[in-house]
Amino acid sequence: MLRAAREAGPHLVHHAGETAGPASVREALTAGRAERIGHGIRVLKDPELVAELRRRRVPLEVRPSSNVLLGLVPSLAEHPLPRLVEAGLTATLNTDGETSLTAEYQRTRETFGYSDAQLAHLARASTESSFAPEAWKTQVSAEIDRWLSR
């Protein structure tokens, strides 16, 4: 059934590596054929998995506020987002609806001291790893560049 769905065109994004460990991400990649991973914050516990995600450029949809709200991370300051980025993973900043995306970017700036360039890097990762048409990605990337050059 998964093969039929994939052949029909829908993209596959699995929530994994949030409450469960790296094995859930590996299963999402193999059996689930995930193109993106929703959350994935526990992947750093498995260096081989980190290397595979980096090599395959599988994006992680990271949601720091949600992870704290659910008690999966004690505080924003302890969230692994910076370590995911430092590991060379494609991390995108997202929200589960408990906050706005703008607020999530602001919290990321305030908590981790991220510069405009670092925030733009996250925004570009989100744009490039989206399933949107290439023309839209090009337009949004240009808007990110304009924002960064202001």
Side-chain angles (χ1 to χ4, degrees):
M1 185 156 91
L2 185 59
R3 184 178 309 128
R6 181 149 182 136
E7 290 170 1
H11 293 282
L12 298 171
V13 179
H14 294 275
H15 277 225
E18 180 186 28
T19 58
S24 67
V25 174
R26 194 171 295 289
E27 181 179 17
L29 292 172
T30 55
R33 298 184 181 164
E35 297 171 74
R36 284 198 315 238
I37 300 295
H39 296 284
I41 61 171
R42 305 231 186 269
V43 300
L44 295 171
K45 295 179 178 183
D46 183 340
E48 289 179 19
L49 179 59
V50 169
E52 180 179 354
L53 290 166
R54 189 174 43 240
R55 180 183 55 77
R56 291 175 55 181
R57 300 184 67 203
V58 175
L60 303 178
E61 300 173 348
V62 181
R63 299 165 172 87
S65 294
S66 175
N67 297 148
V68 172
L69 184 65
L70 293 173
L72 302 169
V73 177
S75 68
L76 283 175
E78 296 174 76
H79 196 276
L81 174 64
R83 294 189 309 279
L84 295 167
V85 173
E86 289 166 9
L89 296 171
T90 302
T92 67
L93 200 54
N94 299 269
T95 176
D96 274 340
E98 70 291 328
T99 187
S100 70
L101 191 55
T102 301
E104 196 75 356
Y105 271 88
Q106 186 63 34
R107 285 185 189 110
T108 298
R109 177 190 297 283
E110 292 168 358
T111 303
F112 304 118
Y114 272 24
S115 66
D116 286 354
Q118 289 169 303
L119 294 175
H121 174 79
L122 291 172
R124 279 193 190 96
S126 296
T127 302
E128 292 167 8
S129 64
S130 77
F131 301 128
E134 289 304 317
W136 183 87
K137 291 180 184 186
T138 300
Q139 177 185 346
V140 172
S141 291
E143 291 173 16
I144 294 168
D145 290 341
R146 277 193 296 279
W147 174 81
L148 190 57
S149 67
R150 62 167 168 77

